[in-house]
Amino acid sequence: MSVGTQWRAARGTAPPGHLDAAGCNVPSDRVLDAVVAQLRLERQRGGYAAVPDLTAAKSALAELVGAGPQDVAFLESGTAAMAALLGGWRLAPGSGVGYTRTEYGSTLMLLRRLAEQRDWKLVELPVDDDGRLDVAGVRAGLDLMVLSHIGSHRGVVQPAAEIGARCREAGIPLVLDVCQSLGHVEVRGAGASAYVGTSRKWLAGPRGVGFLIVPDLTPDMDAAVPTLGGHLWSEPTPVPQPGAVRYESSEAAIAARVGLGVAVLEHFELGPSTVQAALADLGRTARGLLDGAGGWRVAEPLDEPSALVTLRPPPGDTAEHAAARAAEASPPG
């Protein structure tokens, strides 16, 4: 049975023609049932008495990058996870932070705010015409590097393993944004110091859950805001708990975290490498069909191993005009 057939069989319903896994995927029936069951349990027992053991969920997430459950922290979104990680990272004034112009918008805003407040020096690293990082441009002298494995605006896969190896050689901690890549392409082998991810995209979990995986925790790394669940009370400064739990917000939508755990276990049941191959094939097929249709051109290389497909409009047309035509041709209901 194909991955697509299994995916459809696991869902009693889905939006017609849904093509937005890169934005917000459709959770399975098992994920939905797990979320509802946790909410019912909280109503029956009380929210704090019904706190589940999420070790299995953390172990499964960690395995996708080659880490351990102690390295995983749950937060509310990928954006919140990135803010908790970078906001608490104690870099000295004048530290150089590498990034690319293809970085996700909220991360760029965060970097610019932190650079202004803390006198960090942002260093834009060179990319080619497809937006792929020039690995040779990753040079010693940087104190931190932030990179999206796959951008949200184009399905180009960064050579994470090569970049990770270069960063390790140069002694540069690498923060890899895997919001668009975990559950989509291979992430193991990147060797990043930290990974930032989300539930709602290729893992097909619920909205409202993000996570950090921090296998290379150092004394300079702490949460931007200390919490009672992740820190020990101490005067004058709270002491962080061992492991990534220091970043975790204990007051959260716990049912959504349970749902993410079920989604990740389902991903392993399908087989990560099988899913990756199926998605890459879908991407190549879609690009072959769409490139040139109506004068629109595919933005990434046709054989790019991702399922995220973006198009450039022909002269005189825009994406906004095309969306308006599509809405007019397909009225609600």
Side-chain angles (χ1 to χ4, degrees), residues 236-253:
T237 303
V239 177
Q241 297 272 19
V245 71
R246 66 186 60 184
Y247 295 103
E248 193 160 284
S249 49
S250 55
E251 188 56 46

Side-chain angles (χ1 to χ4, degrees), residues 1-126:
M1 188 184 298
S2 71
V3 169
T5 300
Q6 293 179 74
W7 189 93
R8 288 186 289 272
R11 289 154 176 81
T13 184
H18 184 77
L19 296 171
D20 195 24
C24 192
N25 213 329
V26 180
S28 71
D29 294 350
R30 282 170 58 188
V31 169
L32 176 63
D33 291 345
V35 172
V36 173
Q38 176 63 29
L39 291 173
R40 291 188 185 281
L41 192 64
E42 291 177 6
R43 186 172 69 173
Q44 292 165 4
R45 297 185 182 176
Y48 295 112
V51 172
D53 183 356
L54 294 173
T55 303
K58 290 185 174 183
S59 295
L61 269 175
E63 188 174 341
L64 288 173
V65 305
Q70 72 282 356
D71 302 323
V72 179
F74 287 126
L75 291 100
E76 289 68 47
S77 67
T79 296
M82 186 68 81
L85 178 72
L86 297 184
W89 207 314
R90 291 186 283 271
L91 292 177
S95 294
V97 180
Y99 74 102
T100 70
R101 60 179 174 81
T102 60
E103 189 51 66
Y104 188 56
S106 67
T107 301
L108 281 175
M109 289 194 292
L110 173 64
L111 285 172
R112 289 170 181 168
R113 174 69 62 83
L114 292 173
E116 179 182 357
Q117 292 177 341
R118 303 180 184 183
D119 193 28
W120 294 354
K121 308 302 180 186
L122 300 186
V123 180
E124 183 177 324
L125 301 176

